[in-house]
């Protein structure tokens, strides 16, 4: 499969076997929902919301709660957060270029790897009319979330594509690190963090949004 990646006015053409995409911040602009959830949670527990938001991008719910409030009942807090978040779609929108890019990808050449749980991922993708992939790796599938490489390695295995032949698309430092640790090339999307912040991370390319990524040759895998 041939992809074009346009960054800073320059376009690169690359070959890859599969495209592996994060969801929140990469395909789905959920920033309004996510920030509302965490600010409400921090207000209820007397926590610093700005500090939490600084470290939470790309992490699973349980990892964020464990990191920022280890004194709370982890299972109870996660269950409550899940219930609230599944009911909240106000403010969700697709990232620019997401629908066009997904429509051009052959079904067995892409996957979504997200720190959300499966039901949440399906709710958000379907709410926005984005296709749910045949390979969807969520927090339900891996013992270790991002920045561990587990999710991306599992997606590659399910697609039957060598990790080195995969390209990851991510918006967060944890996700970029996850893709790199999996031995994959990484496209960073500047939807959550500014391009100059992403330039300091170990991504191969930085694009403004998914209009900077296009499928040139969608020839299916043999």
């Amino acid at each position: 499969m041939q992809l074009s990646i346009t960054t800073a006015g320059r376009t690169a053409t690359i070959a890859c076997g599969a495209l592996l995409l994060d969801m929140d911040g990469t395909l789905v602009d959920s920033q309004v929902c996510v920030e509302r959830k965490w600010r409400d949670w921090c207000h209820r527990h007397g926590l610093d919301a700005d500090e939490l938001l600084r470290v939470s991008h790309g992490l699973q719910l349980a990892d964020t709660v464990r990191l920022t409030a280890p004194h709370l009942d982890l299972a109870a807090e996660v269950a409550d957060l899940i219930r609230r978040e599944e009911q909240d779609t106000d403010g969700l929108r697709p990232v620019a270029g997401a629908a066009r890019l997904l429509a051009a990808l052959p079904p067995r050449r892409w996957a979504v790897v997200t720190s959300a749980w499966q039901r949440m991922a399906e709710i958000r993708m379907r709410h926005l009319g984005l296709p749910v992939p045949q390979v969807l790796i969520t927090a339900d599938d891996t013992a270790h979330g991002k920045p561990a490489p587990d999710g991306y390695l599992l997606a590659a295995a399910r697609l039957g594509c060598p990790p080195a032949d995969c390209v990851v698309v991510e918006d967060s430092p944890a996700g970029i690190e996850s893709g790199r640790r999996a031995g994959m090339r990484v496209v960073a999307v500047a939807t959550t963090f500014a391009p100059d912040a992403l330039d300091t991370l170990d991504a191969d390319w930085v694009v403004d949004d998914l209009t900077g990524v296009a499928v040139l040759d969608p020839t299916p895998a043999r």
Side-chain angles (χ1 to χ4, degrees), residues 135-208:
V135 176
L136 173 60
I137 306 299
T138 72
D140 301 323
D141 299 304
T142 58
H144 305 289
K146 301 170 186 178
D150 303 36
Y152 283 114
L153 291 172
L154 180 57
R158 289 188 179 176
L159 289 173
C161 186
D165 200 24
C166 294
V167 171
V168 165
V169 187
E170 270 282 358
D171 73 303
S172 71
I176 292 168
E177 181 180 346
S178 176
R180 296 302 290 179
R181 289 174 63 184
M184 302 173 182
R185 291 166 288 172
V186 178
V187 178
V189 185
T191 50
T192 305
F193 295 87
D196 57 351
L198 295 174
D199 282 338
T200 65
L201 303 175
D202 194 19
D204 297 278
W205 305 275
V206 179
V207 298
D208 291 334

